[in-house]
Amino acid sequence: MTLQFSNETKATFDWLVSRYPEKKAALLPTLWLAQKEFGGWLSPEALSYCARLLDLPPSKAYSVASFYTMYNLQPVGRYKLEVCRTLSCAMAGAFDIIEHLEQKLGIPCGETTPDGKFTLATQECLASCGTGPVMQINGEYYEENLSAARVDEILARLP
Amino acid sequence: MIMSNELILSRNWSRAYSWTMASALEAGTYKTAADALRSGRPPGELLDEVKRSGLRGRGGAGFPTGMKWGFLPKDNPKPRYLVINADESEPGTFKDRAILEKDPHMLLEGCILASYAIGAHACYIYVRGEFWHQQRILMQAIADAYRQGFLGDRCFGTDFKLDITVHSGAGAYICGEETALLTSLEGERGYPRLKPPFPATHGLFQCPTVVNNVETIANVPYIIGRGANAFAAFGKYEVNAEGRPVIDSRGTRLMCASGHVNRPGVSEIPLGIRLIDYINDYCDGVKDGKKLKAVIPGGSSCPILTAQEAEQVEMTYESMARFGTMFGSGGLVVLDEDTNMVWALHNLLRFYSHESCGQCTPCREGTDWLYKILGRMLVGKGTESDLAEILDIADNMEGKTICALAAAATMPTRSYIQKFREEFVAHFTKGGVPTDSRGRYRVPATVRQ
Ligand SMILES: Cc1cc2nc3c(=O)[nH]c(=O)nc-3n(C[C@H](O)[C@H](O)[C@H](O)COP(=O)(O)O)c2cc1C
Ligand code: SF4
Ligand code: FES
């Protein structure tokens, strides 16, 4: 089956392309659209599709996507948990949160639970240093007074 | 309601729904831009005003903004671009985020004025990918500005055309470096480019380009609206007998405090106050009454200051330089007496080795070696010769790479080792187990080699 953007996403794509003097500059935004539309990750088909839309070779889309940590080149869980591990957060106890999550979910950082619900990852400074430790769930910040107990509460509320 | 620390940039932050167009209009935002454009003020006048204000870049290097704008070639027929750096990823920094969340319209008015001054008709705001919520706020603000007729083919009903576009990054610290940011905007891997040529002549799409930080541009409406002198009334400016400036730190800065302070967060300070006063008065002092050990003054790439130095240094570009460090991005991290410096440096070197883009061998390999040596030291297996090795590696990295990331890793490394050498030595002579009284500095399995 060949992938294709919905009409709405295609319209967004066309608008995006119109914002740049060179089509190629729309590659990052297009990859974002594709990741959102095609299940939270960029499969080889999705990458080829993006490349085709922008008249680029598929290798270009792969090369660019693989440079940036926020493009998932493998399927991820329904919830991607990312904990900042850089200095200010680490001083505030980020590694306690990371270890707690590893134990709770039974997976090391970088992996997905067998039921496909959670992917656990570390992040570098998320610009929340004053309110660390900080965790992102699918991009949403959870940053005030994060503790192991608070993490449990947050996860328990996820459907 | 003007509070004492609501000086220039934060003066609207306490308004209700301060990020909305309604609030911005009530606060008088966009008036300066409307006046300048409608009265057809010569763009050169705006440029001169910014030059006279003494505004310096708030993204890291502190380069004079007016001078940077003046570098654009006058006779180049290509289009010009204004690019705003909202990549904010220097560890310890979270100030641009505050502007995006609380007063995006101040930034947009700054973009209009700056574009008008330099003759740009397209402006891109490169926002780090993790800030998707902030991107939404900014995009809404831009959409509202188009609807009001402030942006588009006829800004404020004049012949001036300006389009502003938000461009999302995707998780790469290096894209904060201006040339990497431009490469990334062009749809490539975020590799820095060799300078020269500088962005002023060969920037975005090989056209003349100005890259400025969010905070830098957010100052522009105030400077144009109230004049260079009003801006310069904040901060510190001193000239010597020959009339040459010896201290040129005008205006205010958004400082971000994190680490061991009682009140972390963003506050706007007039430049020139003492660093220790900032920690005590704005951040309520060191957390839990502990003693101060060290301060990272402006983001993790800045050489560290000892407590003694922190008592003396002033918050000016010049005073920071006199103490061998930098104002950087304004990300101040306070370390208390219990902090394990080997652990702290190890953490930062992991960051730099992770974020090196890998183009230059000295940086790609060097950051990794430094990180590995520190890992060894941290678990008590270092040697005296490791310390010499670190400095030797640093020598072989600095000035031998395309961009300044290599130096951003080596400069702090040198300072930690020079200023806290005994602690590094104690780690291998006493088999230092990395832990503090609160047990925080043990090495988690995830970072063990
Ligand atoms: C490794 C590296 C990372 C940087 N990250 C940022 C950043 O996140 N935000 C920023 O504004 N400037 C950053 N800079 C500085 C930019 O290269 C550039 O100097 C700045 O955006 C210029 O704007 P200004 O003159 O207004 O400060 C970084 C520089 C280096 C070498
Ligand atoms: S110094 Fe490092 S980050 Fe900069 S271009 Fe070279 S390898 Fe990349
Ligand atoms: S160190 Fe974690 S958000 Fe900055």
Side-chain angles (χ1 to χ4, degrees):
Chain A
M1 201 194 84
T2 48
L3 292 171
Q4 214 172 342
F5 280 156
S6 66
N7 285 342
E8 196 191 336
T9 309
K10 182 68 174 45
T12 310
F13 167 81
D14 289 337
W15 178 81
L16 275 170
V17 169
S18 78
R19 304 298 287 183
Y20 303 92
E22 290 178 10
K23 215 170 174 186
K24 185 186 67 153
L27 180 53
L28 265 69
T30 306
L31 293 173
W32 275 118
L33 289 180
Q35 178 155 305
K36 189 151 173 262
E37 183 119 336
F38 304 136
W41 71 295
L42 293 167
S43 62
E45 297 76 48
L47 288 168
S48 302
Y49 177 66
C50 292
R52 207 161 50 242
L53 285 175
L54 295 164
D55 307 326
L56 297 168
S59 59
K60 182 83 194 178
Y62 178 78
S63 151
V64 170
S66 62
F67 182 84
Y68 300 92
T69 57
M70 293 182 78
Y71 295 126
N72 301 314
L73 297 178
Q74 248 116 56
V76 290
R78 196 140 45 90
Y79 299 103
K80 191 173 185 191
L81 314 179
E82 295 170 283
V83 186
C84 168
R85 58 178 182 179
T86 316
L87 188 62
S88 299
C89 284
M91 292 202 304
F95 286 113
D96 294 342
I97 305 283
I98 294 169
E99 286 191 349
H100 175 73
L101 280 167
E102 284 182 332
Q103 273 160 22
K104 187 180 168 77
L105 305 176
I107 48 165
C109 282
E111 294 194 7
T112 303
T113 51
D115 63 359
K117 185 163 182 191
F118 295 108
T119 297
L120 180 61
T122 52
Q123 259 282 16
E124 300 297 349
C125 184
L126 289 167
S128 288
C129 326
T131 39
V134 52
M135 168 173 73
Q136 283 194 316
I137 303 181
N138 293 348
E140 188 86 54
Y141 280 82
Y142 292 82
E143 48 188 335
E144 305 289 342
N145 306 320
L146 213 56
S147 61
R150 185 86 184 90
V151 167
D152 287 347
E153 259 173 55
I154 294 166
L155 294 198
R157 267 194 272 116
L158 295 175
Chain B
M1 191 183 66
I2 304 287
M3 265 156 46
S4 62
N5 67 343
E6 298 178 341
L7 307 172
I8 296 176
L9 302 158
S10 57
R11 67 182 191 277
N12 298 329
W13 292 3
S14 56
R15 286 174 177 271
Y17 303 100
S18 63
W19 58 91
T20 59
M21 178 58 90
S23 167
L25 292 177
E26 209 180 276
T29 312
Y30 292 109
K31 272 214 180 94
T32 303
D35 285 351
L37 267 63
R38 288 200 185 118
S39 68
R41 242 179 116 178
E45 247 183 63
L46 272 64
L47 177 71
D48 284 340
E49 200 70 27
V50 171
K51 270 191 185 153
R52 281 202 303 116
S53 74
L55 175 65
R56 299 172 65 163
R58 307 299 198 221
F63 194 83
T65 306
M67 196 191 290
K68 185 186 271 190
W69 295 4
F71 286 154
L72 289 179
K74 305 219 162 26
D75 47 5
N76 192 321
K78 288 182 176 176
R80 297 167 166 205
Y81 294 105
L82 175 68
V83 175
I84 306 299
N85 190 339
D87 194 56
E88 186 143 87
S89 33
E90 170 84 354
T93 315
F94 44 100
K95 66 186 176 73
D96 298 336
R97 176 180 171 185
I99 295 178
L100 297 176
E101 287 175 2
K102 294 179 179 157
D103 202 352
H105 292 287
M106 185 183 276
L107 171 66
L108 294 181
E109 187 180 20
C111 292
I112 297 172
L113 288 164
S115 297
Y116 181 72
I118 65 171
H121 299 290
C123 165
Y124 294 95
I125 307 181
Y126 188 103
V127 188
R128 67 180 293 180
E130 291 85 354
F131 281 179
W132 69 268
H133 175 65
Q134 290 74 7
Q135 289 175 12
R136 291 292 172 288
I137 299 175
L138 187 58
M139 286 183 199
Q140 182 64 52
I142 292 173
D144 289 344
Y146 270 100
R147 207 162 301 131
Q148 295 280 340
F150 301 165
L151 293 173
D153 288 343
R154 295 181 57 78
C155 298
F156 301 102
T158 69
D159 287 339
F160 185 71
K161 168 184 178 339
L162 179 63
D163 284 313
I164 301 185
T165 305
V166 173
H167 188 94
S168 175
Y173 166 69
I174 194 57
C175 291
E177 196 279 335
E178 57 185 11
T179 60
L181 188 149
L182 296 176
T183 328
S184 177
L185 242 170
E186 291 169 2
E188 301 281 346
R189 295 165 72 91
Y191 285 144
R193 304 171 182 164
L194 206 53
K195 294 188 276 195
F198 290 94
T201 56
H202 296 75
L204 190 60
F205 310 116
Q206 295 299 307
C207 297
T209 302
V210 165
V211 183
N212 272 134
N213 171 262
V214 168
E215 184 186 348
T216 311
I217 293 299
N219 275 300
V220 172
Y222 191 92
I223 293 171
I224 302 299
R226 310 211 193 176
N229 293 341
F231 175 82
F234 296 106
K236 201 162 178 176
Y237 181 71
E238 283 173 19
V239 291
N240 64 11
E242 290 110 60
R244 281 230 239 91
V246 283
I247 296 180
D248 191 356
S249 296
R250 287 173 270 183
T252 66
R253 275 203 81 155
L254 293 178
M255 292 298 299
C256 327
S258 67
H260 301 133
V261 288
N262 284 317
R263 196 157 69 98
V266 180
S267 37
E268 184 172 10
I269 60 151
L271 291 178
I273 65 172
R274 293 192 323 150
L275 187 140
I276 197 72
D277 292 338
Y278 166 70
I279 294 176
N280 289 330
D281 301 346
Y282 289 79
C283 316
D284 284 350
V286 182
K287 200 170 178 179
D288 302 335
K290 293 268 184 188
K291 281 221 290 282
L292 182 64
K293 180 171 191 174
V295 178
I296 300 171
S300 64
S301 307
C302 303
I304 198 159
L305 295 168
T306 62
Q308 206 187 6
E309 290 169 328
E311 295 276 346
Q312 301 165 48
V313 70
E314 279 179 358
M315 303 185 82
T316 61
Y317 293 94
E318 294 75 15
S319 183
M320 294 279 184
R322 212 171 313 122
F323 283 87
T325 188
M326 302 176 305
F327 226 139
S329 58
L332 184 133
V333 187
V334 170
L335 312 181
D336 75 10
E337 54 188 321
D338 291 332
T339 313
N340 180 328
M341 301 309 280
V342 183
W343 177 89
L345 182 59
H346 175 256
N347 184 290
L348 290 180
L349 285 171
R350 195 219 44 244
F351 174 82
Y352 290 106
S353 74
H354 182 257
E355 298 298 337
S356 167
C357 83
Q359 278 192 108
C360 324
T361 310
C363 172
R364 183 186 64 239
E365 302 301 321
T367 49
D368 198 42
W369 290 350
L370 291 177
Y371 170 53
K372 284 190 176 138
I373 295 175
L374 256 293
R376 180 150 95 212
M377 295 199 134
L378 186 56
V379 295
K381 290 190 190 140
T383 60
E384 188 72 40
S385 69
D386 279 340
L387 286 176
E389 183 79 29
I390 289 173
L391 298 179
D392 187 44
I393 293 171
D395 280 340
N396 283 301
M397 291 167 67
E398 287 163 6
K400 298 179 172 68
T401 57
I402 294 174
C403 89
L405 184 133
T410 58
M411 288 186 308
T413 301
R414 284 177 190 283
S415 72
Y416 283 64
I417 291 179
Q418 190 194 350
K419 294 177 184 179
F420 299 95
R421 193 181 176 91
E422 285 143 44
E423 205 175 316
F424 283 80
V425 171
H427 251 276
F428 50 81
T429 52
K430 303 207 179 93
V433 180
T435 175
D436 74 339
S437 54
R438 289 167 293 202
R440 279 191 197 155
Y441 300 122
R442 67 200 193 312
V443 195
T446 37
V447 298
R448 234 175 261 143
Q449 282 297 312

